[in-house]
Amino acid sequence: MLNPDANSSDKVCAALKMPRHVAIIMDGNGRWAQQRNKLRTFGHKAGVEAVRSSVTFARKKGIKSLTLFAFSSENWQRPKQEVGVLMDLFHFVLKSEVKKLHKNNIRLKVIGDLSGFDVKLQEKISAAEALTANNDALVLNIAANYGGRWDIVNAAKCLASSVASGDIGLDDITEAAFDKHISTHEFPELDLLIRTGGDHRVSNFLLWQCAYAEFYFTETLWPDFNESVFQTAIDDFAQRQRRFGLTGEQIMTAEVEPKAC
Ligand code: IPE
Ligand code: IPE
Ligand code: MG
């Protein structure tokens, strides 16, 4: 059932059963390269093209937010050479892609603990975010040095500090207040989480945001991900009945309004 207060793009999303916010765990680069007897880093480089095509697809389909897991807080533990190549790739992609994103009215946002990156990279991220800040066709959210537990702890720290300073009381800590301090708070609720590479786990991605997200797992390795695989995930999503704790009958008769979209 449509929320009468929803804006027109929300209404179109709900009617078409299109997700407004999609997140992707872009996994399988290393195995893709190894299958070709290449270094794992060859797979990371090949994955850039899959990022481009998923961004183009998301924009074309009217998805409002696309959150891509690029580097987890745990990925620092990988071999130094692989981490180095991934950092170089971030620098390269920021340089080569930002103008195109801007031209296509796409806003770039990076979520995660950015203090872990070198200062030059932090500066490039800030500049790209500033340049694209007013674009509204799609928000491309890159999760880098991101961990779902970090996100939750960060929100808890912000609220704890407000309680300690007396700005808010303990009873002001509600789910809604907590959510305001989560890194994706300005974007729609997460509707669909896709993981490529065949594993069925969240690997410390959007833990708070996954509460009522739909999950879609595919064997496709990230560098092979394309518009057709993305479309299959969207079609699968459209077939699902999201109940948000209600019964199927309540949803069918629209007796009670479900929580999201
Ligand atoms: C995902 O691909 C990319 C990053 C984690 C940066 P992987 O590098 O994890 O590829 P597999 O899972 O080892 O194949
Ligand atoms: C998750 O993939 C992180 C990214 C895709 C950036 P990993 O390959 O690091 O996850 P695990 O280690 O298989 O859980
Ligand atoms: Mg992996």
Side-chain angles (χ1 to χ4, degrees), residues 74-92:
E74 289 73 33
N75 288 148
W76 293 109
Q77 300 168 71
R78 291 194 175 194
K80 223 173 150 190
Q81 188 262 354
E82 181 170 343
V83 172
V85 169
L86 284 165
M87 294 304 133
D88 290 348
L89 209 51
F90 285 151
H91 277 282
F92 167 76

Side-chain angles (χ1 to χ4, degrees), residues 31-91:
R31 280 165 284 162
W32 185 89
Q34 282 160 343
Q35 284 172 3
R36 288 159 179 77
N37 295 317
K38 304 267 192 194
L39 294 175
R40 295 175 49 80
T41 48
F42 182 73
H44 297 316
K45 289 173 192 160
V48 174
E49 192 48 46
V51 171
R52 286 192 193 105
S53 80
S54 53
V55 171
T56 306
F57 180 83
R59 193 191 180 295
K60 199 164 68 186
K61 290 284 162 178
I63 291 167
K64 296 315 288 176
S65 300
L66 178 68
T67 301
L68 301 179
F69 202 8
F71 191 83
S72 77
S73 41
E74 289 73 33
N75 288 148
W76 293 109
Q77 300 168 71
R78 291 194 175 194
K80 223 173 150 190
Q81 188 262 354
E82 181 170 343
V83 172
V85 169
L86 284 165
M87 294 304 133
D88 290 348
L89 209 51
F90 285 151
H91 277 282

